[in-house]
């Protein structure tokens, strides 16, 4: 991706999570800004980066800060869950790179805190997740407010029809870059399926998380209420766990992530909304306590493990009502998931079809 971005082309990049997308778009952008550096004007960022969640936005900005250390470049994250005044003050002083979530950015535009007169580069990271979360209209409105002569860059883990349609409307004669892969997920991840009735899921999960080799685990539920209930059940069984979701205040979410990074919490329980924003190294196991409704979200979930060449294990629970969801996932990743019968709660899901 770097050579075409250095040449100023629009670009559509497809790569699985953990493939180095942030560096791919950040390094050429930083290089371009430093070539003939001019101090940013008030409320007028030179680069706009959109991300679907505040955690991902913070993760991107941390990378940019690291890459641009020792330079005069200024970057800022504006996202929900944080007070407006500090963001407004920094925008007024001028920033080179603005990393934002769509909703909070729209708010600042409405307050006249962000103007795009000087914005020459527009980057959408995790575009597929952004569309899954319903930000399509916000993205289009933001893109329409940019100067006509700007570079647009899109990165996505998957190229579904929604992403393809958006890329056609936003990109001009783009270069396509895709990391070749045999399946939709990294080959560093081992997949297991455990057939189990719904009433036995909690006990099976506790057995797994108490076993050897589970250093850090990420467990996925479908709803925030189910997530809290599951986290409490684990805690009652003396398994250090925390639930992370949008209903919790930003400071609390940051503390939960820090506890996980530093090893004070063994298990994070999350929903799909949190899947892309969790930046915790060393996750050895991802457990799909409930299978995702959208098969693409399986890819996003399991992509939290097996990163940067490390090995990871993805375990999925399946009760008889989940067979259709499982079939859709296997079609997407093009790999049949092996059934692990070596547990106390195995059942025969006879209706399962290949």
């Amino acid at each position: 991706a770097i050579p075409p971005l250095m040449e100023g082309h629009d670009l559509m990049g497809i790569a699985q999570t953990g493939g180095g997308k942030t560096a791919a778009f950040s390094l050429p952008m930083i290089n371009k800004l430093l070539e003939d550096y001019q101090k940013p004007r008030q409320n007028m960022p030179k680069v706009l980066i959109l991300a679907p969640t505040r955690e991902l936005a913070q993760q991107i900005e941390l990378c940019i800060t690291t890459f641009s250390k020792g330079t005069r470049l200024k970057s800022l994250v504006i996202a929900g869950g944080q007070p407006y005044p500090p963001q407004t003050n920094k925008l007024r002083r001028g920033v080179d790179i603005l990393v934002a979530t769509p909703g909070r950015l729209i708010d600042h535009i409405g307050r006249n805190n962000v103007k795009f007169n000087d914005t020459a580069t527009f980057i959408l990271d995790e575009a597929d997740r952004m569309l899954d979360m319903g930000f399509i209209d916000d993205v289009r409105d933001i893109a329409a407010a940019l100067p006509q002569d700007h570079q647009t860059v899109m990165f996505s883990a998957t190229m579904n029809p929604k992403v393809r349609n958006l890329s056609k409307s936003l990109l001009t004669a783009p270069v396509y870059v895709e990391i070749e892969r045999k399946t939709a997920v990294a080959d560093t991840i081992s997949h297991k399926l455990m057939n189990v009735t719904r009433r036995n899921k909690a006990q099976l999960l506790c057995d797994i998380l108490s076993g050897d080799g589970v250093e850090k685990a990420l467990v996925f539920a479908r709803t925030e209420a189910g997530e809290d209930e599951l986290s409490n059940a684990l805690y009652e069984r003396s398994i250090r766990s925390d639930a992370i979701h949008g209903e919790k205040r930003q400071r609390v979410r940051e503390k939960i992530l820090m506890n996980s990074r530093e090893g004070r919490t063994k298990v994070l329980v999350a929903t799909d909304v949190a899947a892309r924003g969790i930046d915790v190294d060393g996750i050895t196991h991802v457990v799909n306590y409930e299978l995702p409704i959208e098969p693409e979200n399986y890819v996003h979930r399991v992509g939290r493990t097996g990163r940067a060449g490390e090995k990871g294990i993805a375990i999925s629970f399946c009760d008889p009502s989940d067979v259709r969801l499982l079939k859709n996932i296997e079609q997407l990743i093009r790999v049949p998931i092996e059934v692990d019968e070596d547990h106390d709660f195995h059942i025969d899901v006879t209706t399962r079809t290949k």
Side-chain angles (χ1 to χ4, degrees):
I2 289 177
L5 289 179
M6 295 281 284
E7 293 167 6
H9 294 289
D10 284 8
L11 184 134
M12 180 74 234
I14 306 292
Q16 58 205 32
T17 303
K21 295 192 292 285
T22 307
F25 66 71
S26 295
L27 296 173
M29 170 194 73
I30 290 168
N31 189 75
K32 187 186 295 184
L33 289 172
L34 293 175
E35 277 180 345
D36 184 20
Y37 183 75
Q38 309 238 340
K39 186 178 177 182
R41 294 199 288 170
Q42 186 178 39
N43 302 107
M44 296 184 188
K46 301 173 191 174
V47 173
L48 172 63
I49 303 173
L50 280 188
T53 65
R54 52 191 164 190
E55 284 83 9
L56 183 58
Q58 289 167 333
Q59 182 183 331
I60 292 168
E61 202 261 346
L62 178 61
C63 289
I64 289 171
T65 301
T66 303
F67 296 151
S68 61
K69 188 175 181 180
T71 73
R72 291 178 288 171
L73 293 180
K74 296 177 182 177
S75 57
L76 170 67
V77 171
I78 58 172
Q82 299 167 332
Y84 279 89
Q87 297 176 357
T88 303
N89 292 336
K90 288 180 181 177
L91 286 166
R92 191 176 295 124
R93 289 196 292 270
V95 296
D96 298 286
I97 303 163
L98 181 61
V99 188
T101 54
R104 180 53 66 96
L105 179 59
I106 291 286
D107 289 346
H108 276 291
I109 293 171
R111 297 175 183 217
N112 220 26
N113 293 332
V114 178
K115 302 170 186 175
F116 297 121
N117 305 53
D118 296 345
T119 305
T121 305
F122 177 39
I123 299 168
L124 289 91
D125 195 19
E126 306 285 18
D128 49 351
R129 188 70 184 138
M130 201 130 30
L131 300 186
D132 287 343
M133 293 173 67
F135 289 132
I136 179 66
D137 291 334
D138 287 346
V139 170
R140 291 190 186 280
D141 290 344
I142 291 164
L146 295 170
Q148 188 171 1
D149 185 21
H150 70 272
Q151 181 183 28
T152 302
V153 182
M154 281 178 63
F155 277 94
S156 179
T158 57
M159 188 64 164
N160 58 40
K162 288 188 289 186
V163 174
R164 187 174 290 108
N165 290 336
L166 183 65
S167 70
K168 287 178 181 177
S169 65
L170 298 187
L171 303 177
T172 303
V175 173
Y176 284 86
V177 175
E178 182 167 4
I179 301 299
E180 186 178 352
R181 57 195 175 185
K182 294 180 181 177
T183 67
V185 292
D187 57 10
T188 52
I189 302 171
S190 300
H191 305 263
K192 288 184 184 178
L193 185 72
M194 293 186 170
N195 296 331
V196 58
T197 58
R198 196 168 300 179
R199 69 176 179 271
N200 288 327
K201 281 186 177 182
Q203 187 56 56
L204 177 58
L205 180 65
C206 292
D207 291 349
I208 291 169
L209 297 178
S210 302
D212 295 334
V214 181
E215 297 171 19
K216 287 183 186 177
L218 182 56
V219 178
F220 282 98
R222 280 195 200 128
T223 65
E224 291 178 353
E227 181 186 342
D228 285 328
E229 186 179 328
L230 187 54
S231 179
N232 292 337
L234 293 173
Y235 197 80
E236 287 172 3
R237 291 170 169 83
S238 302
I239 296 173
R240 291 170 295 150
S241 65
D242 250 320
I244 183 164
H245 55 66
E247 291 301 312
K248 296 192 174 182
R249 296 177 65 179
Q250 179 68 11
R251 189 172 296 176
V252 174
R253 289 155 65 100
E254 289 173 359
K255 184 176 180 181
I256 289 170
L257 287 175
M258 185 59 67
N259 285 340
S260 180
R261 290 187 188 109
E262 296 183 358
R264 290 191 289 268
T265 301
K266 182 178 181 178
V267 181
L268 281 178
V269 186
T271 57
D272 287 316
V273 171
R276 299 285 193 94
I278 294 176
D279 180 31
V280 176
D281 290 334
I283 292 176
T284 56
H285 292 67
V286 169
V287 181
N288 292 304
Y289 187 81
E290 294 170 305
L291 290 178
I293 302 297
E294 298 292 334
E296 289 84 2
N297 285 337
Y298 180 87
V299 177
H300 306 328
R301 290 179 177 192
V302 304
R304 297 298 97 194
T305 188
R307 295 167 69 90
E310 295 292 323
K311 297 290 185 183
I313 297 173
I315 300 171
S316 298
F317 291 175
C318 180
D319 68 50
S321 66
D322 291 328
V323 173
R324 181 183 55 81
L325 300 177
L326 174 64
K327 184 178 178 182
N328 292 339
I329 290 168
E330 290 181 325
Q331 286 177 343
L332 176 68
I333 66 173
R334 288 174 276 181
V335 173
I337 303 175
E338 183 180 350
V339 178
D340 182 355
E341 300 181 10
D342 189 21
H343 61 90
D344 294 337
F345 305 103
H346 174 70
I347 59 171
D348 181 17
V349 184
T350 56
T351 56
R352 185 184 177 201
T353 56
K354 290 289 183 184

